[in-house]
Amino acid sequence: MWFGEKHQEALATLKYGILDNKGFLLLTGDVGTGKTSLINALIQSLGQDIIYTAVPDPSLIKLDFFNYIAASFGIDREFTSKGAFLAHFKNFLLRASEKNKKVLLIIDEAQLLTQEMLEEIRLLSNIEKPNAKLINIFFIGQNEFNEILNRPQNRAVLQRMTLNFNLDPLTPEEVDAYIRHRLKVAGTQERLFDWDAVQEIFLYSGGFPRRINILCDHSLLSGFVREQRVIDAGIVKECAKELKIPAHVHNRDINDPFESGTRPKNKNESPGDLSNRAFDPYPPVQHPVPPVSPAPQPQNNLFSWDKLVTLILFFIFAWYFMFPDHFFSMRSQGTQPFDQRQELVEEQKPDQTLQPENKPVVRNIEHPETNPSPKLNNPPRLLPKDKITIRFKSNGDAIIEEDLRKLNAVSKSLIVHPNSKILITGYTDASENGTYNVKLSEFRATIVKSFLLGQGVKSYQMKIQGRGGQDPVEKNDTAWGRMMNRRVEIEVIE
C-alpha cells in the first residue's frame, strides 16, 4: 500500500486514539479517497490486545444491528430485546477489560446511519468504568456525515468525538508519487507516464486514487495498442473522453493553489528531475486567478447545477463500467445469449469405465489376482469439443467472473492432455478503428493465454491471434450486441 503524508498522519492519529481509549473517532473523506484501504491498513497494524469488528452497512434496524455486532464479537446468542443485548454486551466488555483487551467497533458508511441508530450507538459508549472507557467507536463516512453531526440533535455525539480526521484527495505531487509506486509494485521503475500525462491525470481525476487507477489502467492499455511505450497527455485526454470523465474535474476539497500557497515557486528546476518537480495544475490560460471579490450569486448557482449534473453522469457511467457483471447478469436473465454448446468439459461419471490412454499395463502372470482393474478411480478430463467463449468489459482487460471458472476447467483439461493444442482468438466490437481493434483483440487473447500459463498450461500448447471486429456474433448498433462481440474464443486444434 502507498502512504502519502496525509495517510501516514491519519493512520498514526487513529491508531493513537484506539490505543489511548479516546472513545469516539471519526474519519471522513469524499468517495474514492482511500478510506477503506486506510482502515484495512489500520486493522492489520493492530495488536492481539485489541478486539475489533466492523459493520459494513449500518442501515439496519435496531435489533438486526445489535445481533450483528453481538455475533461479530463472538456472543453466541440471538437477542429479541434491547435489554437482553445490553446485559450480555456489558458483560462482554467487562471481561475484555479484565483481560487488558481493548474493544473497537468500526461503523463504515456512517452517513447511512438513521438518527435513531446514531443515538443507539452513542448510548453504547455509556457502558464504561468510572476510570476507563470500555469501547472505542470508530465512524468512517463521507463528507456529508460531518453535516449530520453538526445538527442540533447530534450535539451529544459531536461532543464525544475526541479525534476527527478528514482525508483529502491527493495533491499533484502525491499523484505522481502514487503512480510511480503502483508501477514499482507492478515490476518497473521506468517513468511510463510523462510529466504532462501526470498533470492531466491529476486534473481529470481530481486527486481521487480510484479515478487515478481507472485512468492509468486505460492509458496503459491504449499505449499498448498504439505500441507507444511512454504515455503522454494526449492518450490521457483520449481515455478520459472514452470514460466520459468531464474535462478538468476539480474536487471541492482541493484548495485553490493560488490561495493555498502550493503554486510552484522554483521555476528554474531542471525539467529532467521529474520526481521532485512541482507543476501548476491550473495553467493561466485555462484557469486565470479568480478575482478578490466573490462571484455573483447566479454564477455560483449555475456552477453548482453543472457540478451536480456532471457527478450524476459520472456515477451512471461508473456503475456500468465498474460493475458490468451486474449489468451482464440482469441482461442474461431475460435472454439466453450464450450458445448452449459452449458448455465446458463434461466430467466422466464414476460408474463409467475408461481404458487408460497410451499407458502400458504391467500384469503379474504368477499372481493374476493382483492385476489392476481396468476401471479408473479418477478418469481424465475430456477436452472441450466446441469453442469456449470468454468475454471482457468494455475497453478493459478484466474477465467476467463466470468465465474465469470456464478458464479453470479448460486449464485442467489441457494439463492432463499435454499433447493437445488450442487456438485463442480475440475479438472486439466494431466501435473503434480497425488497427486499434486488432491490437486490442490480440491483447485480450494474450491475457487469456497468460491466465492459462499461470494455471500450469504449457506455452507450446497455445497459439493466439487477434481478429479485431471480424466475425461478429451480434449487431454492433446496441450496447448488448457490442458486449457480446467483445470476446475471446478458445478452440482445440490438435
Side-chain angles (χ1 to χ4, degrees), residues 111-128:
Q111 74 280 355
L112 300 178
L113 284 169
T114 63
Q115 187 64 43
E116 179 186 12
M117 284 308 307
L118 185 58
E119 184 64 17
E120 292 292 346
I121 293 172
R122 180 187 73 83
L123 293 175
L124 289 180
S125 66
N126 289 338
I127 307 175
E128 58 184 19

PDB file of all heavy atoms in Angstrom, residues 111-128:
ATOM      1  N   GLN A 111     -22.520   7.741   7.015  1.00  0.00           N
ATOM      2  CA  GLN A 111     -23.518   8.698   6.518  1.00  0.00           C
ATOM      3  C   GLN A 111     -24.868   8.034   6.269  1.00  0.00           C
ATOM      4  O   GLN A 111     -25.873   8.722   6.102  1.00  0.00           O
ATOM      5  CB  GLN A 111     -23.019   9.389   5.246  1.00  0.00           C
ATOM      6  CG  GLN A 111     -23.033   8.556   3.986  1.00  0.00           C
ATOM      7  CD  GLN A 111     -21.839   7.614   3.876  1.00  0.00           C
ATOM      8  OE1 GLN A 111     -20.938   7.658   4.714  1.00  0.00           O
ATOM      9  NE2 GLN A 111     -21.817   6.775   2.852  1.00  0.00           N
ATOM     10  N   LEU A 112     -24.908   6.694   6.265  1.00  0.00           N
ATOM     11  CA  LEU A 112     -26.164   5.980   6.053  1.00  0.00           C
ATOM     12  C   LEU A 112     -26.929   5.747   7.352  1.00  0.00           C
ATOM     13  O   LEU A 112     -28.053   5.242   7.331  1.00  0.00           O
ATOM     14  CB  LEU A 112     -25.893   4.623   5.384  1.00  0.00           C
ATOM     15  CG  LEU A 112     -25.217   4.653   4.014  1.00  0.00           C
ATOM     16  CD1 LEU A 112     -24.986   3.237   3.511  1.00  0.00           C
ATOM     17  CD2 LEU A 112     -26.044   5.439   3.013  1.00  0.00           C
ATOM     18  N   LEU A 113     -26.338   6.095   8.493  1.00  0.00           N
ATOM     19  CA  LEU A 113     -26.992   5.880   9.768  1.00  0.00           C
ATOM     20  C   LEU A 113     -28.248   6.733   9.889  1.00  0.00           C
ATOM     21  O   LEU A 113     -28.262   7.911   9.532  1.00  0.00           O
ATOM     22  CB  LEU A 113     -26.040   6.228  10.914  1.00  0.00           C
ATOM     23  CG  LEU A 113     -24.929   5.223  11.235  1.00  0.00           C
ATOM     24  CD1 LEU A 113     -23.922   5.841  12.188  1.00  0.00           C
ATOM     25  CD2 LEU A 113     -25.516   3.943  11.831  1.00  0.00           C
ATOM     26  N   THR A 114     -29.310   6.120  10.409  1.00  0.00           N
ATOM     27  CA  THR A 114     -30.512   6.883  10.731  1.00  0.00           C
ATOM     28  C   THR A 114     -30.268   7.635  12.038  1.00  0.00           C
ATOM     29  O   THR A 114     -29.345   7.323  12.805  1.00  0.00           O
ATOM     30  CB  THR A 114     -31.723   5.967  10.876  1.00  0.00           C
ATOM     31  OG1 THR A 114     -31.495   5.067  11.978  1.00  0.00           O
ATOM     32  CG2 THR A 114     -31.954   5.156   9.599  1.00  0.00           C
ATOM     33  N   GLN A 115     -31.112   8.609  12.289  1.00  0.00           N
ATOM     34  CA  GLN A 115     -30.989   9.360  13.529  1.00  0.00           C
ATOM     35  C   GLN A 115     -31.144   8.446  14.744  1.00  0.00           C
ATOM     36  O   GLN A 115     -30.419   8.561  15.735  1.00  0.00           O
ATOM     37  CB  GLN A 115     -32.041  10.473  13.564  1.00  0.00           C
ATOM     38  CG  GLN A 115     -31.904  11.426  14.746  1.00  0.00           C
ATOM     39  CD  GLN A 115     -30.595  12.200  14.703  1.00  0.00           C
ATOM     40  OE1 GLN A 115     -30.185  12.679  13.652  1.00  0.00           O
ATOM     41  NE2 GLN A 115     -29.933  12.297  15.847  1.00  0.00           N
ATOM     42  N   GLU A 116     -32.061   7.485  14.651  1.00  0.00           N
ATOM     43  CA  GLU A 116     -32.293   6.560  15.753  1.00  0.00           C
ATOM     44  C   GLU A 116     -31.069   5.684  16.011  1.00  0.00           C
ATOM     45  O   GLU A 116     -30.647   5.516  17.163  1.00  0.00           O
ATOM     46  CB  GLU A 116     -33.503   5.675  15.448  1.00  0.00           C
ATOM     47  CG  GLU A 116     -33.801   4.669  16.536  1.00  0.00           C
ATOM     48  CD  GLU A 116     -34.912   3.697  16.157  1.00  0.00           C
ATOM     49  OE1 GLU A 116     -35.289   3.679  14.957  1.00  0.00           O
ATOM     50  OE2 GLU A 116     -35.385   2.956  17.022  1.00  0.00           O
ATOM     51  N   MET A 117     -30.459   5.152  14.936  1.00  0.00           N
ATOM     52  CA  MET A 117     -29.302   4.274  15.121  1.00  0.00           C
ATOM     53  C   MET A 117     -28.087   5.039  15.615  1.00  0.00           C
ATOM     54  O   MET A 117     -27.282   4.521  16.395  1.00  0.00           O
ATOM     55  CB  MET A 117     -28.979   3.552  13.817  1.00  0.00           C
ATOM     56  CG  MET A 117     -29.908   2.407  13.486  1.00  0.00           C
ATOM     57  SD  MET A 117     -30.081   1.229  14.859  1.00  0.00           S
ATOM     58  CE  MET A 117     -28.391   0.832  15.231  1.00  0.00           C
ATOM     59  N   LEU A 118     -27.923   6.276  15.172  1.00  0.00           N
ATOM     60  CA  LEU A 118     -26.808   7.092  15.660  1.00  0.00           C
ATOM     61  C   LEU A 118     -26.928   7.305  17.161  1.00  0.00           C
ATOM     62  O   LEU A 118     -25.927   7.254  17.897  1.00  0.00           O
ATOM     63  CB  LEU A 118     -26.785   8.432  14.922  1.00  0.00           C
ATOM     64  CG  LEU A 118     -25.612   9.357  15.231  1.00  0.00           C
ATOM     65  CD1 LEU A 118     -24.282   8.681  14.941  1.00  0.00           C
ATOM     66  CD2 LEU A 118     -25.730  10.655  14.419  1.00  0.00           C
ATOM     67  N   GLU A 119     -28.142   7.528  17.634  1.00  0.00           N
ATOM     68  CA  GLU A 119     -28.355   7.700  19.073  1.00  0.00           C
ATOM     69  C   GLU A 119     -28.110   6.396  19.820  1.00  0.00           C
ATOM     70  O   GLU A 119     -27.539   6.397  20.928  1.00  0.00           O
ATOM     71  CB  GLU A 119     -29.779   8.198  19.315  1.00  0.00           C
ATOM     72  CG  GLU A 119     -30.101   8.503  20.764  1.00  0.00           C
ATOM     73  CD  GLU A 119     -29.272   9.648  21.329  1.00  0.00           C
ATOM     74  OE1 GLU A 119     -28.682  10.414  20.552  1.00  0.00           O
ATOM     75  OE2 GLU A 119     -29.214   9.758  22.582  1.00  0.00           O
ATOM     76  N   GLU A 120     -28.523   5.269  19.258  1.00  0.00           N
ATOM     77  CA  GLU A 120     -28.285   3.975  19.899  1.00  0.00           C
ATOM     78  C   GLU A 120     -26.793   3.688  20.034  1.00  0.00           C
ATOM     79  O   GLU A 120     -26.332   3.155  21.052  1.00  0.00           O
ATOM     80  CB  GLU A 120     -28.969   2.858  19.110  1.00  0.00           C
ATOM     81  CG  GLU A 120     -30.494   2.887  19.132  1.00  0.00           C
ATOM     82  CD  GLU A 120     -31.072   2.572  20.499  1.00  0.00           C
ATOM     83  OE1 GLU A 120     -30.329   2.076  21.370  1.00  0.00           O
ATOM     84  OE2 GLU A 120     -32.273   2.830  20.693  1.00  0.00           O
ATOM     85  N   ILE A 121     -26.034   4.024  19.010  1.00  0.00           N
ATOM     86  CA  ILE A 121     -24.582   3.800  19.065  1.00  0.00           C
ATOM     87  C   ILE A 121     -23.960   4.703  20.121  1.00  0.00           C
ATOM     88  O   ILE A 121     -23.036   4.302  20.847  1.00  0.00           O
ATOM     89  CB  ILE A 121     -23.969   4.047  17.676  1.00  0.00           C
ATOM     90  CG1 ILE A 121     -24.460   2.983  16.686  1.00  0.00           C
ATOM     91  CG2 ILE A 121     -22.445   4.031  17.745  1.00  0.00           C
ATOM     92  CD1 ILE A 121     -24.066   3.245  15.259  1.00  0.00           C
ATOM     93  N   ARG A 122     -24.438   5.931  20.206  1.00  0.00           N
ATOM     94  CA  ARG A 122     -23.920   6.830  21.243  1.00  0.00           C
ATOM     95  C   ARG A 122     -24.158   6.243  22.635  1.00  0.00           C
ATOM     96  O   ARG A 122     -23.279   6.309  23.513  1.00  0.00           O
ATOM     97  CB  ARG A 122     -24.584   8.191  21.131  1.00  0.00           C
ATOM     98  CG  ARG A 122     -24.094   9.203  22.185  1.00  0.00           C
ATOM     99  CD  ARG A 122     -24.892  10.474  22.150  1.00  0.00           C
ATOM    100  NE  ARG A 122     -26.237  10.284  22.698  1.00  0.00           N
ATOM    101  CZ  ARG A 122     -26.528  10.311  24.002  1.00  0.00           C
ATOM    102  NH1 ARG A 122     -25.567  10.482  24.904  1.00  0.00           N
ATOM    103  NH2 ARG A 122     -27.772  10.161  24.411  1.00  0.00           N
ATOM    104  N   LEU A 123     -25.339   5.660  22.839  1.00  0.00           N
ATOM    105  CA  LEU A 123     -25.662   5.109  24.157  1.00  0.00           C
ATOM    106  C   LEU A 123     -24.775   3.909  24.511  1.00  0.00           C
ATOM    107  O   LEU A 123     -24.560   3.616  25.688  1.00  0.00           O
ATOM    108  CB  LEU A 123     -27.134   4.713  24.205  1.00  0.00           C
ATOM    109  CG  LEU A 123     -28.125   5.889  24.119  1.00  0.00           C
ATOM    110  CD1 LEU A 123     -29.557   5.385  24.050  1.00  0.00           C
ATOM    111  CD2 LEU A 123     -27.939   6.842  25.294  1.00  0.00           C
ATOM    112  N   LEU A 124     -24.258   3.204  23.488  1.00  0.00           N
ATOM    113  CA  LEU A 124     -23.343   2.099  23.775  1.00  0.00           C
ATOM    114  C   LEU A 124     -22.089   2.581  24.494  1.00  0.00           C
ATOM    115  O   LEU A 124     -21.497   1.854  25.302  1.00  0.00           O
ATOM    116  CB  LEU A 124     -22.952   1.371  22.485  1.00  0.00           C
ATOM    117  CG  LEU A 124     -24.022   0.521  21.792  1.00  0.00           C
ATOM    118  CD1 LEU A 124     -23.451  -0.108  20.538  1.00  0.00           C
ATOM    119  CD2 LEU A 124     -24.555  -0.554  22.730  1.00  0.00           C
ATOM    120  N   SER A 125     -21.687   3.796  24.205  1.00  0.00           N
ATOM    121  CA  SER A 125     -20.470   4.335  24.826  1.00  0.00           C
ATOM    122  C   SER A 125     -20.688   4.656  26.297  1.00  0.00           C
ATOM    123  O   SER A 125     -19.725   4.938  27.022  1.00  0.00           O
ATOM    124  CB  SER A 125     -20.000   5.584  24.085  1.00  0.00           C
ATOM    125  OG  SER A 125     -20.955   6.640  24.234  1.00  0.00           O
ATOM    126  N   ASN A 126     -21.951   4.648  26.757  1.00  0.00           N
ATOM    127  CA  ASN A 126     -22.213   4.879  28.181  1.00  0.00           C
ATOM    128  C   ASN A 126     -21.820   3.693  29.033  1.00  0.00           C
ATOM    129  O   ASN A 126     -21.756   3.799  30.263  1.00  0.00           O
ATOM    130  CB  ASN A 126     -23.702   5.190  28.402  1.00  0.00           C
ATOM    131  CG  ASN A 126     -24.080   6.561  27.868  1.00  0.00           C
ATOM    132  OD1 ASN A 126     -23.225   7.434  27.708  1.00  0.00           O
ATOM    133  ND2 ASN A 126     -25.356   6.759  27.583  1.00  0.00           N
ATOM    134  N   ILE A 127     -21.581   2.544  28.410  1.00  0.00           N
ATOM    135  CA  ILE A 127     -21.118   1.374  29.162  1.00  0.00           C
ATOM    136  C   ILE A 127     -19.631   1.554  29.421  1.00  0.00           C
ATOM    137  O   ILE A 127     -18.791   1.356  28.537  1.00  0.00           O
ATOM    138  CB  ILE A 127     -21.375   0.072  28.379  1.00  0.00           C
ATOM    139  CG1 ILE A 127     -22.838  -0.033  27.958  1.00  0.00           C
ATOM    140  CG2 ILE A 127     -20.966  -1.132  29.201  1.00  0.00           C
ATOM    141  CD1 ILE A 127     -23.133  -1.227  27.082  1.00  0.00           C
ATOM    142  N   GLU A 128     -19.277   1.964  30.616  1.00  0.00           N
ATOM    143  CA  GLU A 128     -17.878   2.250  30.942  1.00  0.00           C
ATOM    144  C   GLU A 128     -17.639   2.089  32.433  1.00  0.00           C
ATOM    145  O   GLU A 128     -18.569   2.017  33.243  1.00  0.00           O
ATOM    146  CB  GLU A 128     -17.513   3.671  30.495  1.00  0.00           C
ATOM    147  CG  GLU A 128     -18.370   4.750  31.119  1.00  0.00           C
ATOM    148  CD  GLU A 128     -18.051   6.131  30.593  1.00  0.00           C
ATOM    149  OE1 GLU A 128     -17.427   6.249  29.504  1.00  0.00           O
ATOM    150  OE2 GLU A 128     -18.404   7.095  31.279  1.00  0.00           O
TER     151      GLU A 128
END
